[in-house]
């Protein structure tokens, strides 16, 4: 049985005390630390770069999962992995030598993922399934935190899960956007393995209680940590 993993997104953390926030979710039972990287071009907002990833690396033992919402990601992959990223995903929509970027991520020693936006047909990722480690299904409008889950993405999850279960059972399916206690069980039941949650964790009063409840709902061990 594939482990189910909780990945708090620091996009919703208090950056004024980021080290404390990271330590708090690690102690609360998180399995990954998710970092959303935005360049102001591929998506409207600008967030963080390799320097912040390096700071996160110094403050956690957990694997760091970098979601690159940037143009020309192949130019920055080495910098993010050198800074401490263990998982790196690039967008199928970015479109520039996707297979080259995936293979470069793997050559540099990280897990390679492909992210897909809500309105992009799932068939666009099928060609690279043989060479990736995980799929990231974006379930909100990419580029900002705190949004509500887009309902039709559940059907996309089912479709991707069916293909992966039958042909590529080693691939993990990550859900990123609007994941909360209220919908995490349904997402798990429909095939998701990794659950990125920003406001669903960081905007709650008790991170430990929230993550424990999430793990109970998806059938994950409360003390399961580490997705390296």
């Amino acid at each position: 049985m594939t482990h189910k993993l909780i990945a708090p997104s620091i996009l919703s953390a208090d950056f004024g005390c980021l080290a404390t926030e990271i330590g708090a979710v690690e102690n609360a039972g998180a399995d990954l630390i998710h970092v959303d990287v935005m360049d102001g071009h591929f998506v409207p907002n600008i967030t963080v770069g390799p320097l912040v990833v390096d700071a996160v690396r110094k403050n956690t033992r957990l694997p760091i999962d970098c979601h690159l919402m940037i143009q020309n990601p192949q130019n920055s992959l080495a910098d993010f992995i050198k800074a401490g990223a263990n998982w790196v995903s690039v967008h199928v929509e970015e479109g520039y030598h996707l297979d080259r970027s995936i293979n470069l991520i793997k050559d540099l020693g990280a897990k390679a993922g492909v992210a897909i936006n809500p309105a992009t047909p799932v068939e666009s990722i099928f060609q690279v399934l043989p060479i990736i480690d995980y799929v990231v299904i974006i379930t909100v409008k990419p580029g900002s935190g705190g949004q509500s889950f887009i309902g039709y993405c559940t059907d996309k999850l089912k479709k991707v899960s069916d293909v992966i279960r039958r042909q590529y059972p080693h691939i993990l399916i990550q859900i990123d956007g609007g994941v909360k206690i209220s919908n995490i069980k349904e997402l798990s039941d429909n095939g998701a393995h990794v659950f990125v949650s920003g406001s669903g964790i960081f905007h709650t009063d008790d991170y430990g209680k929230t993550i424990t409840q999430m793990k109970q709902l998806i059938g994950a061990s409360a003390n399961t940590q580490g997705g390296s």
Side-chain angles (χ1 to χ4, degrees):
M1 179 181 175
T2 303
H3 285 309
K4 304 278 181 152
L5 307 172
I6 302 295
S9 170
I10 64 167
L11 186 63
S12 296
D14 182 349
F15 271 68
C17 52
L18 187 56
T20 300
E21 291 274 71
I22 291 168
V25 292
E26 179 171 352
N27 291 335
D31 301 293
L32 304 167
I33 299 296
H34 186 85
V35 180
D36 288 300
V37 179
M38 308 178 195
D39 64 355
H41 299 285
F42 185 74
V43 292
N45 288 338
I46 299 173
T47 55
V48 304
L51 286 175
V52 172
V53 174
D54 180 68
V56 174
R57 177 75 286 155
K58 292 173 181 176
N59 284 281
T60 184
R61 299 173 292 104
L62 297 178
I64 297 173
D65 169 30
C66 279
H67 172 203
L68 302 185
M69 289 172 272
I70 62 177
Q71 291 181 352
N72 301 314
Q74 70 283 348
N75 296 336
S76 304
L77 294 173
D79 292 335
F80 281 102
I81 293 171
K82 182 179 179 181
N86 307 99
W87 298 34
V88 179
S89 59
V90 294
H91 269 261
V92 66
E93 297 86 3
E94 205 285 325
Y96 180 79
H97 292 308
L98 181 61
D99 59 343
R100 184 178 297 175
S101 293
I102 292 166
N103 283 305
L104 179 56
I105 293 168
K106 296 171 78 171
D107 289 345
L108 291 168
K111 288 185 182 294
V114 170
I116 179 170
N117 285 336
T120 302
V122 295
E123 290 80 8
S124 64
I125 65 170
F126 286 176
Q127 195 65 31
V128 295
L129 289 178
I131 60 172
I132 64 173
D133 298 300
Y134 65 109
V135 172
V136 185
I137 301 177
I138 308 301
T139 48
V140 295
K141 182 179 179 180
S144 61
Q147 300 179 67
S148 296
F149 182 90
I150 296 174
Y152 67 73
C153 290
T154 301
D155 289 334
K156 176 178 280 191
L157 167 60
K158 291 177 183 178
K159 191 169 187 177
V160 173
S161 177
D162 183 58
V163 172
I164 285 175
R165 185 177 64 252
R166 288 186 288 107
Q167 299 183 46
Y168 307 100
H170 67 284
I171 294 177
L172 298 178
I173 301 174
Q174 179 179 117
I175 295 292
D176 185 355
V179 176
K180 301 183 185 299
I181 285 174
S182 59
N183 62 4
I184 195 169
K185 184 179 188 303
E186 179 184 8
L187 297 171
S188 178
D189 290 346
N190 281 300
H193 308 109
V194 184
F195 305 86
V196 176
S197 182
S199 60
I201 292 173
F202 284 108
H203 292 180
T204 64
D205 294 331
D206 187 329
Y207 302 164
K209 182 178 178 180
T210 299
I211 292 174
T212 297
Q213 189 171 352
M214 285 181 167
K215 290 197 169 191
Q216 289 171 343
L217 288 166
I218 62 178
S221 171
N223 59 5
T224 297
Q225 286 190 357
S228 60

